Amino acid sequence: MKIKKHFITRVALSISAFVVVMDSTITNVSTSVISGSLGMSMFEGGLISSVFGLSNALSIPLMKLLSSTLGEKKTYIFSFLLFVLSSIFCGLSLGMFPLLFFRVIQGVSSGPIIPLSLSILLSTYRKKDRTSGVSLWSSIVVIAPAVGPVIGGVICKYLSWRWLFFINAPVGLICLNLLFKDFFSSSKDDTASSDCFDILGYFSVSIFMILWQVIISHDNSFSFDNPLDFYLVFLCILFLFLFFISQIYGENPMFDVSLFLNKNYLIGTVCLSCSYLINLSTVLPIFLIEVHGYDLLSAGLACASAGIPPLLISSKIKKIMSIVNPKHLVFTGFVLYAVCLHWRTSMFQTNTSFESVCISQFFIGVASTLFFIPITDITISYVKRKRIGSALTLNCFCKTICSAIGTSITYRIWNSRLFLHTSRLSDSVNYYSELFRSENSIMISKGLSYYNSLSFIKNEILVAGKIESINDLFFCGVILNVILACVILMSTSVEKYPSPY
């Protein structure tokens, strides 16, 4: 009976985590559809994703306050119920401001769900079987972003964008029903305590994230010569420094930074968090839609092949990790990721086939599976069971912050490089250049008017600029993954590392 109870709990926790991760992916990819339906501009449409990421990151520190008051299980039930309700109201929204408001509520409620789902899931396993729990949870988190674009494409094509949010309700209510029976079968929650909340730490990190969002949202005119821009950067760095000081020397910090004294925890958290600094999954579907003319469903199907390897490999990762050192698996994953991105720099052109995109995504999925599951196991291997909640909260906070920052950085690099490449191409293809005269003559000979020919050439320059700019992003990803592959080798083998706990 106990085994069956734990099985139902594990399934419900995994599905609920899957729903939360998938919701974020679906909405990011479908932003253009949602903003178009509500008559929103591109900037306003971008807020649909940015306000969710910002509120999600800022809600994670609140988890400690809620968990210390209610306990982990009750906090999880409350957060997931609020997520389901806010999803329904997002789908019912008739304008921009109601939608943005409920997206903030969604972000706040989903923040504690990911770290708590793994913490509670691992509590149902014995210590020697902890890797099985990590593999189950990690495979769900890896698969969700891959299948999200497909589900979003199907919904937008055959139903309405509102069902992107409504779909969370039936699945969420079923999970809540299963978890409610288990979590509230006993009124005792061992994690409950009476800790005080770190107001200074939360205030400083909140101001830092808000200032960062303001800075990164600037257009290409941002300059340190502008006093306002300079002071924004100065205040951003100041509040970040204040946050670190409050966590190191504060009497009751939000996060247990002493966990970073654990070498493997430090290296694992840094590598996992920094892997999100170049967030290509957010720009690839947009690139396929704008450059290759895919609809949302076709772009989703092209990206979905990244979800096949986790389905095939995740169940065997535990056995592989008993033979191969986990850090060598992570190293292989980072290197394979770098190789795939380098291949893309020469592969992604205007004539790139659908099959080529699928193949590259498949190997990206292999790389993600090889490093995501083992790196999670490396990170928490020497953390005591009673500290797993704190460890996962800090780990998830670092990952979420880096993901939010990485998404902003990725779009900023893409836009700035697009501006640079289109400017250079426009300068080389001018009225007096031989290339322009040749192309213009060919277009006119095919029956186009002079102005239609100019419009065609302008569009070709824009497409070429987008290809060059995303290739620059791929190259940045190559450098990042090579660095992370070297860093993970600095971790000590699990069986030889003396636990400080």
Side-chain angles (χ1 to χ4, degrees):
M1 185 71 181
K2 186 176 181 180
I3 296 177
K4 181 181 179 181
K5 175 183 175 182
H6 283 332
F7 174 77
I8 294 175
T9 302
R10 292 166 187 169
V11 171
L13 286 169
S14 301
I15 293 177
S16 58
F18 177 85
V19 169
V20 172
V21 177
M22 189 180 66
D23 174 84
S24 176
T25 306
I26 288 177
T27 310
N28 289 341
V29 175
S30 309
T31 297
S32 58
V33 176
I34 299 173
S35 58
S37 300
L38 294 178
M40 301 164 63
S41 66
M42 289 299 294
F43 172 76
E44 293 168 340
L47 291 176
I48 298 174
S49 300
S50 60
V51 298
F52 178 87
L54 182 62
S55 58
N56 183 276
L58 295 180
S59 69
I60 294 177
L62 294 174
M63 190 185 73
K64 181 180 179 181
L65 175 64
L66 292 173
S67 297
S68 64
T69 305
L70 304 175
E72 286 189 345
K73 293 181 179 180
K74 293 183 179 65
T75 300
Y76 191 88
I77 289 290
F78 173 76
S79 299
F80 195 61
L81 177 60
L82 185 60
F83 173 80
V84 172
L85 292 176
S86 58
S87 297
I88 295 174
F89 283 108
C90 281
L92 294 173
S93 299
L94 299 177
M96 179 186 72
F97 291 108
L99 177 60
L100 293 179
F101 173 77
F102 289 113
R103 281 294 283 172
V104 170
I105 303 299
Q106 256 195 325
V108 170
S109 59
S110 63
I113 292 176
I114 299 302
L116 282 180
S117 64
L118 181 54
S119 178
I120 299 172
L121 181 68
L122 292 181
S123 68
T124 66
Y125 286 89
R126 293 174 296 180
K127 186 174 182 179
K128 66 178 183 179
D129 297 326
R130 187 183 290 176
T131 304
S132 300
V134 173
S135 299
L136 172 63
W137 183 87
S138 300
S139 61
I140 292 296
V141 175
V142 171
I143 293 171
V147 302
V150 180
I151 297 176
V154 172
I155 291 174
C156 290
K157 185 172 183 177
Y158 297 105
L159 297 173
S160 165
W161 66 265
R162 299 183 184 277
W163 281 96
L164 298 172
F165 301 105
F166 289 151
I167 195 174
N168 296 333
V171 180
L173 292 175
I174 292 173
C175 292
L176 281 170
N177 182 51
L178 297 176
L179 294 173
F180 191 89
K181 292 179 180 178
D182 176 23
F183 289 178
F184 289 88
S185 59
S186 174
S187 59
K188 183 180 179 181
D189 195 333
D190 296 332
T191 59
S193 62
S194 56
D195 292 338
C196 298
F197 184 63
D198 180 14
I199 298 177
L200 177 60
Y202 186 73
F203 172 77
S204 57
V205 75
S206 299
I207 298 300
F208 161 73
M209 285 299 297
I210 293 172
L211 289 175
W212 169 263
Q213 191 64 39
V214 172
I215 291 170
I216 206 69
S217 297
H218 270 256
D219 56 21
N220 291 323
S221 64
F222 182 89
S223 172
F224 285 107
D225 295 333
N226 186 336
L228 177 60
D229 294 340
F230 174 81
Y231 286 125
L232 282 175
V233 174
F234 174 76
L235 288 174
C236 188
I237 296 174
L238 178 63
F239 279 104
L240 179 62
F241 177 75
L242 182 62
F243 170 70
F244 285 131
I245 294 298
S246 68
Q247 299 309 294
I248 296 173
Y249 297 106
E251 293 183 0
N252 187 49
M254 285 190 299
F255 302 110
D256 185 4
V257 292
S258 65
L259 288 162
F260 287 128
L261 296 176
N262 183 325
K263 181 180 177 181
N264 281 12
Y265 182 83
L266 172 63
I267 292 176
T269 301
V270 168
C271 287
L272 180 62
S273 301
C274 290
S275 66
Y276 287 86
L277 289 179
I278 302 295
N279 197 349
L280 294 170
S281 62
T282 60
V283 299
L284 181 59
I286 299 174
F287 173 82
L288 294 175
I289 291 171
E290 292 183 354
V291 175
H292 293 278
Y294 290 16
D295 58 21
L296 194 59
L297 178 57
S298 299
L301 289 172
C303 297
S305 56
I308 298 175
L311 290 173
L312 301 177
I313 304 175
S314 295
S315 60
K316 300 177 176 60
I317 281 291
K318 181 182 177 181
K319 185 176 181 180
I320 296 173
M321 288 170 61
S322 64
I323 302 172
V324 183
N325 193 314
K327 74 175 182 179
H328 294 153
L329 287 177
V330 177
F331 174 82
T332 304
F334 280 132
V335 171
L336 181 58
Y337 212 121
V339 171
C340 290
L341 293 180
H342 186 268
W343 176 38
R344 281 183 171 182
T345 58
S346 59
M347 183 191 74
F348 267 52
Q349 303 296 330
T350 53
N351 58 348
T352 302
S353 65
F354 179 84
E355 292 77 13
S356 298
V357 178
C358 291
I359 292 172
S360 67
Q361 279 295 102
F362 178 85
F363 285 106
I364 289 291
V366 174
S368 301
T369 308
L370 286 178
F371 82 77
F372 192 84
I373 297 177
I375 204 172
T376 306
D377 189 67
I378 290 172
T379 304
I380 65 172
S381 292
Y382 287 101
V383 178
K384 281 188 176 181
R385 186 168 180 172
K386 65 181 180 181
R387 302 185 72 184
I388 283 201
S390 299
L392 292 175
T393 301
L394 178 56
N395 180 270
C396 187
F397 176 76
C398 293
K399 184 183 71 175
T400 306
I401 288 289
C402 286
S403 178
I405 293 175
T407 300
S408 302
I409 291 174
T410 302
Y411 276 109
R412 185 61 182 266
I413 293 175
W414 195 22
N415 288 329
S416 62
R417 299 302 293 180
L418 175 62
F419 177 80
L420 175 65
H421 288 301
T422 51
S423 298
R424 287 179 175 177
L425 290 170
S426 298
D427 290 340
S428 62
V429 184
N430 55 64
Y431 179 80
Y432 299 101
S433 67
E434 185 64 30
L435 177 62
F436 172 80
R437 292 176 179 274
S438 174
E439 289 293 323
N440 192 41
S441 299
I442 294 174
M443 294 299 104
I444 293 176
S445 66
K446 291 183 177 180
L448 293 179
S449 66
Y450 178 77
Y451 291 104
N452 287 338
S453 174
L454 291 179
S455 177
F456 178 83
I457 294 175
K458 179 180 178 181
N459 183 66
E460 288 295 300
I461 291 175
L462 182 60
V463 169
K466 289 180 178 180
I467 293 174
E468 292 297 323
S469 59
I470 201 169
N471 284 338
D472 290 342
L473 272 177
F474 291 151
F475 186 71
C476 291
V478 171
I479 296 175
L480 176 63
N481 281 277
V482 169
I483 294 174
L484 294 179
C486 296
V487 172
I488 198 63
L489 291 178
M490 298 168 61
S491 64
T492 311
S493 299
V494 171
E495 63 273 13
K496 297 180 181 179
Y497 185 69
S499 172
Y501 300 97

